[in-house]
Coordinates of all heavy atoms in Angstrom, one line a residue:
Q1735 N 152.8 161.6 40.8 CA 153.2 161.7 39.4 C 154.7 162.0 39.4 O 155.2 162.8 40.2 CB 152.5 162.7 38.6 CG 151.0 162.5 38.5 CD 150.6 161.4 37.5 OE1 151.5 161.0 36.7 NE2 149.4 161.0 37.5
W1736 N 155.4 161.3 38.5 CA 156.9 161.6 38.3 C 157.1 163.1 37.9 O 156.4 163.5 37.0 CB 157.5 160.7 37.3 CG 158.9 160.9 37.0 CD1 159.5 161.7 36.1 CD2 160.0 160.3 37.8 NE1 160.8 161.7 36.1 CE2 161.2 160.9 37.2 CE3 160.1 159.5 38.8 CZ2 162.5 160.5 37.6 CZ3 161.4 159.1 39.3 CH2 162.5 159.6 38.7
N1737 N 158.0 163.8 38.6 CA 158.2 165.2 38.3 C 159.7 165.4 38.5 O 160.2 166.0 39.4 CB 157.4 166.1 39.2 CG 157.6 167.5 38.9 OD1 158.0 167.9 37.8 ND2 157.2 168.4 39.8
N1738 N 160.5 164.9 37.5 CA 162.0 165.0 37.6 C 162.5 164.3 38.8 O 163.6 164.6 39.3 CB 162.5 166.4 37.5 CG 162.1 167.1 36.2 OD1 162.3 166.5 35.1 ND2 161.7 168.3 36.2
G1739 N 161.7 163.4 39.4 CA 162.1 162.6 40.5 C 160.9 162.0 41.2 O 159.8 162.3 40.8
D1740 N 161.2 161.1 42.1 CA 160.1 160.5 42.9 C 159.7 161.4 44.0 O 160.4 161.8 44.9 CB 160.6 159.2 43.5 CG 159.5 158.3 44.0 OD1 158.6 158.9 44.7 OD2 159.4 157.1 43.8
P1741 N 158.4 161.9 44.0 CA 158.0 162.9 45.0 C 157.9 162.3 46.4 O 157.9 163.1 47.4 CB 156.6 163.3 44.5 CG 156.1 162.2 43.7 CD 157.3 161.6 43.0
E1742 N 157.8 161.0 46.5 CA 157.6 160.4 47.8 C 158.9 160.0 48.5 O 159.1 160.2 49.6 CB 156.7 159.1 47.7 CG 156.4 158.4 49.0 CD 155.6 159.2 49.9 OE1 154.7 160.0 49.4 OE2 155.7 159.1 51.1
V1743 N 159.8 159.4 47.7 CA 161.1 159.0 48.2 C 162.2 159.5 47.3 O 162.9 158.7 46.6 CB 161.2 157.5 48.4 CG1 160.5 157.1 49.7 CG2 160.7 156.7 47.2
P1744 N 162.4 160.8 47.2 CA 163.4 161.4 46.3 C 164.8 160.9 46.6 O 165.1 160.7 47.8 CB 163.3 162.9 46.4 CG 162.7 163.1 47.8 CD 161.8 161.9 48.0
F1745 N 165.7 160.8 45.6 CA 167.1 160.5 45.8 C 167.7 161.5 46.7 O 167.6 162.7 46.5 CB 167.8 160.4 44.5 CG 169.3 160.2 44.6 CD1 169.8 159.1 45.2 CD2 170.1 161.1 44.1 CE1 171.2 158.9 45.3 CE2 171.5 161.0 44.2 CZ 172.0 159.9 44.8
V1746 N 168.5 161.0 47.7 CA 169.2 161.9 48.6 C 170.5 162.3 48.1 O 171.6 161.7 48.4 CB 169.4 161.2 50.0 CG1 170.0 162.2 51.0 CG2 168.1 160.7 50.5
G1747 N 170.5 163.2 47.2 CA 171.8 163.7 46.5 C 171.5 164.5 45.3 O 170.3 164.9 45.0
V1748 N 172.6 164.9 44.6 CA 172.5 165.7 43.4 C 173.2 165.0 42.3 O 174.3 164.4 42.6 CB 173.1 167.1 43.6 CG1 173.1 167.9 42.3 CG2 172.2 167.9 44.6
E1749 N 172.7 165.0 41.1 CA 173.2 164.2 40.0 C 173.2 162.7 40.5 O 172.2 162.2 40.8 CB 174.6 164.7 39.6 CG 174.5 166.1 39.0 CD 173.7 166.2 37.7 OE1 173.7 165.2 37.0 OE2 173.2 167.3 37.4
D1750 N 174.4 162.1 40.6 CA 174.5 160.8 41.2 C 175.4 160.8 42.4 O 175.9 159.7 42.8 CB 175.0 159.8 40.1 CG 174.5 158.4 40.4 OD1 173.4 158.2 41.0 OD2 175.3 157.4 40.2
E1751 N 175.6 161.9 43.0 CA 176.4 162.0 44.3 C 175.4 161.9 45.5 O 174.5 162.7 45.7 CB 177.1 163.3 44.3 CG 178.0 163.5 45.6 CD 178.6 164.8 45.7 OE1 178.5 165.6 44.7 OE2 179.2 165.1 46.8
L1752 N 175.7 160.8 46.3 CA 174.9 160.6 47.5 C 175.3 161.6 48.6 O 176.5 161.7 48.9 CB 175.0 159.2 47.9 CG 174.2 158.8 49.2 CD1 172.7 158.7 48.9 CD2 174.7 157.4 49.7
F1753 N 174.4 162.3 49.2 CA 174.7 163.1 50.4 C 174.6 162.1 51.6 O 173.5 161.8 52.1 CB 173.7 164.2 50.5 CG 173.8 165.3 49.5 CD1 172.8 166.2 49.3 CD2 174.9 165.3 48.6 CE1 172.9 167.2 48.4 CE2 175.0 166.3 47.6 CZ 174.0 167.3 47.5
I1754 N 175.7 161.6 52.0 CA 175.8 160.5 52.9 C 175.2 160.9 54.3 O 174.5 160.1 54.9 CB 177.2 160.0 53.1 CG1 177.7 159.4 51.7 CG2 177.3 158.9 54.2 CD1 179.2 158.9 51.7
E1755 N 175.5 162.1 54.7 CA 175.0 162.5 56.0 C 173.5 162.6 56.0 O 172.8 162.2 57.0 CB 175.6 163.8 56.5 CG 177.1 163.8 56.8 CD 177.3 162.7 57.9 OE1 176.5 162.7 58.9 OE2 178.3 162.0 57.8
N1756 N 172.9 163.1 54.9 CA 171.5 163.2 54.8 C 170.8 161.8 54.7 O 169.8 161.6 55.3 CB 171.1 164.0 53.6 CG 171.5 165.5 53.6 OD1 172.4 165.8 54.3 ND2 170.8 166.3 52.9
A1757 N 171.5 160.9 54.0 CA 171.0 159.5 53.9 C 171.0 158.9 55.3 O 170.1 158.1 55.7 CB 171.8 158.8 52.9
R1758 N 172.1 159.1 56.0 CA 172.2 158.5 57.4 C 171.1 159.0 58.3 O 170.6 158.2 59.1 CB 173.6 158.7 58.0 CG 174.7 157.9 57.3 CD 176.1 158.4 57.8 NE 177.1 157.6 57.3 CZ 178.4 158.0 57.2 NH1 178.8 159.1 57.8 NH2 179.3 157.2 56.7
K1759 N 170.8 160.2 58.1 CA 169.7 160.8 59.0 C 168.4 160.1 58.8 O 167.6 159.9 59.7 CB 169.5 162.3 58.7 CG 168.6 163.0 59.6 CD 168.5 164.5 59.4 CE 167.7 165.2 60.4 NZ 166.3 164.6 60.5
H1760 N 168.1 159.6 57.6 CA 166.9 158.9 57.3 C 166.9 157.6 58.2 O 165.8 157.2 58.7 CB 166.7 158.5 55.8 CG 166.2 159.7 55.0 ND1 165.0 160.2 55.2 CD2 166.8 160.4 54.0 CE1 164.8 161.2 54.3 NE2 165.9 161.3 53.6
F1761 N 168.0 156.9 58.3 CA 168.1 155.7 59.1 C 168.0 156.0 60.6 O 167.4 155.3 61.3 CB 169.4 154.9 58.7 CG 169.3 154.3 57.4 CD1 169.9 154.9 56.3 CD2 168.7 153.1 57.2 CE1 169.9 154.4 55.0 CE2 168.7 152.5 55.9 CZ 169.2 153.1 54.8

Side-chain angles (χ1 to χ4, degrees):
Q1735 297 282 348
W1736 179 266
N1737 185 19
N1738 295 319
D1740 190 316
E1742 182 66 31
V1743 281
F1745 171 62
V1746 186
V1748 172
E1749 297 296 331
D1750 204 34
E1751 179 184 354
L1752 180 70
F1753 291 168
I1754 296 177
E1755 290 303 318
N1756 294 29
R1758 287 173 178 161
K1759 187 177 186 302
H1760 282 295
F1761 289 96

